[in-house]
Amino acid sequence: MEILINRMANADNQKTFFTDRVMDELQKCGNVREGVFTREQLRDALPGVDVLFGSWGLYRLDEDLLSRADKLKMVCYTGGSVAEQMTETVAERGIHMLSGNRLYANSVAEGTIGYILLAQRRLVKLINETAETGWAPFYHSDGIRFKTIGIIGFGMIAKYLAKMLQAFECRVLICSEWFRPEDEAEYRAEKCDMETLFSESDIVTLHESLRDDTWHMIGKRYFDMMKQDALFVNTARGPIIVEEDLAEAAKTGRIRAILDVFEKEPLPMDSCLRGCENIILVPHRGGPTIDIREQVTLSLIRDLQSYLEKGENAVLENEISWEYARHMTRAAANIKK
């Protein structure tokens, strides 16, 4: 078994995915080679390779790149979304595409719960005032329990989040074409349209992928429907919302927001989102925590080991189908605005 690792240029990032423990496990699977490649160099390195490991920055796996991949059976991508890497060529060749999407989704859902609690309990204000004055006065605070929470989207993150919210006895509304009647019992949720979700939810949390059809999908129309003092959470992608419309709604004091992602990152100092007490700004930290990276690579290796043992009969927990990949988040630069 010939295994090739397309290393990231950033050695520190690379080490968080490919720890000594990971490398020990991977070397049990076969002969491991690695390097930092240009697109042309990677194409020329693929003859004889059975398994390709890569992470952020992995080139698009199109017909040209795979033209010399005569033995490639599996691509293990340690990132999450493979919308930029996977192509119809991969599917047609029967190459198994694996990614860390499942474990990343769980970590993002965990972070979303943390953000909601942070905002609901007004912790940023309390912490800052305690540091500045010695002791903060009493402020109104909220929790999650018994609240109506609207989830936009029904990918892996939304599914994990819905399961986590069961502990808080929430009413969960989900707006997504992918939510089916048979999902209602498992996720203790109900399907609704966007109008119902925005008008009835105490908390709205966005988990759609960034695609052509979701660019600036949420603006003034929906923010105007929200309840007084309702919370809007975005850990998905910034360009899905119209930031000016959110800022306008929040600055009136009618709604609150905690935002982890923005249309332009880093967030410009003159952004309309700054300077509003009702908006908490987080510098894109809602994604998977760094400690999960090693676990992602180990999980991909377990799938590889299963494949080595059972061949095409193996159940690959981290496999991404071509259909699923087409609906995953794409890079903003590649969206038709």
Side-chain angles (χ1 to χ4, degrees):
M1 173 69 65
E2 291 294 320
I3 302 168
L4 180 66
I5 301 175
N6 181 47
R7 294 178 58 91
M8 290 182 282
N10 186 311
D12 291 336
N13 273 339
Q14 180 73 17
K15 188 65 175 177
T16 62
F17 288 102
F18 291 88
T19 62
D20 292 342
R21 178 186 176 192
V22 165
M23 293 304 296
D24 286 345
E25 287 300 311
L26 191 55
Q27 286 162 359
K28 295 175 184 177
C29 298
N31 181 49
V32 180
R33 294 185 292 124
E34 54 184 314
V36 178
F37 303 102
T38 65
R39 180 182 173 85
E40 291 71 24
Q41 288 171 338
L42 180 59
R43 180 189 61 201
D44 293 342
L46 285 177
V49 170
D50 298 287
V51 180
L52 172 65
F53 274 80
S55 190
W56 305 318
L58 178 64
Y59 305 107
R60 187 164 179 79
L61 301 166
D62 56 21
E63 184 63 40
D64 175 65
L65 183 62
L66 297 178
S67 60
R68 302 192 62 192
D70 54 341
K71 294 182 61 181
L72 192 63
K73 304 176 185 68
M74 181 178 291
V75 176
C76 296
Y77 181 67
T78 62
S81 171
V82 295
E84 299 297 329
Q85 288 77 29
M86 192 171 184
T87 64
E88 202 164 358
T89 301
V90 175
E92 289 173 348
R93 289 185 173 216
I95 297 170
H96 296 282
M97 186 75 180
L98 279 58
S99 93
N101 193 56
R102 180 177 59 88
L103 285 172
Y104 285 154
N106 187 284
S107 187
V108 174
E110 172 189 281
T112 301
I113 294 286
Y115 282 173
I116 292 173
L117 288 170
L118 182 76
Q120 289 290 88
R121 290 174 175 264
R122 277 67 170 181
L123 287 177
V124 172
K125 188 173 184 178
L126 288 172
I127 291 168
N128 289 342
E129 290 200 15
T130 300
E132 293 168 4
T133 67
W135 199 257
F138 175 81
Y139 292 110
H140 176 81
S141 60
D142 294 287
I144 301 178
R145 191 171 297 276
F146 308 128
K147 293 292 190 291
T148 296
I149 300 186
I151 300 176
I152 303 171
F154 195 58
M156 286 190 182
I157 296 171
K159 290 178 180 178
Y160 280 120
L161 179 61
K163 287 288 186 72
M164 292 177 185
L165 288 173
Q166 291 177 4
F168 297 95
E169 302 176 81
C170 301
R171 177 193 179 202
V172 177
L173 304 177
I174 294 179
C175 181
S176 172
E177 61 180 303
W178 301 103
F179 187 79
R180 306 161 301 174
E182 53 266 38
D183 293 320
E184 291 182 2
E186 180 178 357
Y187 295 96
R188 300 183 199 170
E190 55 192 274
K191 186 174 183 177
C192 68
D193 56 28
M194 289 277 277
E195 290 77 10
T196 301
L197 185 143
F198 272 90
S199 63
E200 297 189 9
S201 296
D202 301 298
I203 300 164
V204 175
T205 178
L206 177 59
H207 299 286
E208 268 289 4
S209 57
L210 180 59
R211 309 181 304 271
D212 294 341
D213 61 312
T214 61
W215 183 276
H216 284 184
M217 178 179 74
I218 299 172
K220 178 177 172 58
R221 177 190 174 202
Y222 294 116
F223 294 131
D224 285 350
M225 294 178 184
M226 294 181 72
K227 294 179 179 180
Q228 177 67 36
D229 203 42
L231 175 68
F232 180 81
V233 185
N234 188 4
T235 58
R237 288 294 184 268
I240 299 176
I241 73 169
V242 180
E243 292 180 340
E244 294 80 3
D245 293 350
L246 175 62
E248 180 182 349
K251 286 176 180 178
T252 65
R254 198 173 55 76
I255 68 171
R256 296 173 295 121
I258 181 164
L259 307 175
D260 179 71
V261 289
F262 310 95
E263 188 159 329
K264 292 183 180 179
E265 296 181 0
L267 183 67
M269 291 305 298
D270 62 353
S271 168
C272 63
L273 298 171
R274 294 187 182 275
C276 179
E277 185 176 336
N278 280 341
I279 302 178
I280 299 172
L281 305 174
V282 184
H284 206 144
R285 295 295 187 272
T289 52
I290 292 176
D291 62 311
I292 210 70
R293 294 179 181 178
E294 180 188 52
Q295 296 302 319
V296 163
T297 317
L298 288 171
S299 183
L300 296 174
I301 292 172
R302 285 193 292 272
D303 273 354
L304 172 57
Q305 291 169 336
S306 178
Y307 183 78
L308 289 175
E309 179 183 344
K310 300 177 182 177
E312 293 300 326
N313 294 321
V315 176
L316 306 177
E317 291 190 347
N318 299 293
E319 185 161 19
I320 305 294
S321 69
W322 167 234
E323 180 63 24
Y324 191 88
R326 291 169 58 196
H327 293 89
M328 298 177 91
T329 285
R330 295 168 54 199
N334 294 330
I335 300 293
K336 298 176 183 177
K337 306 177 184 63

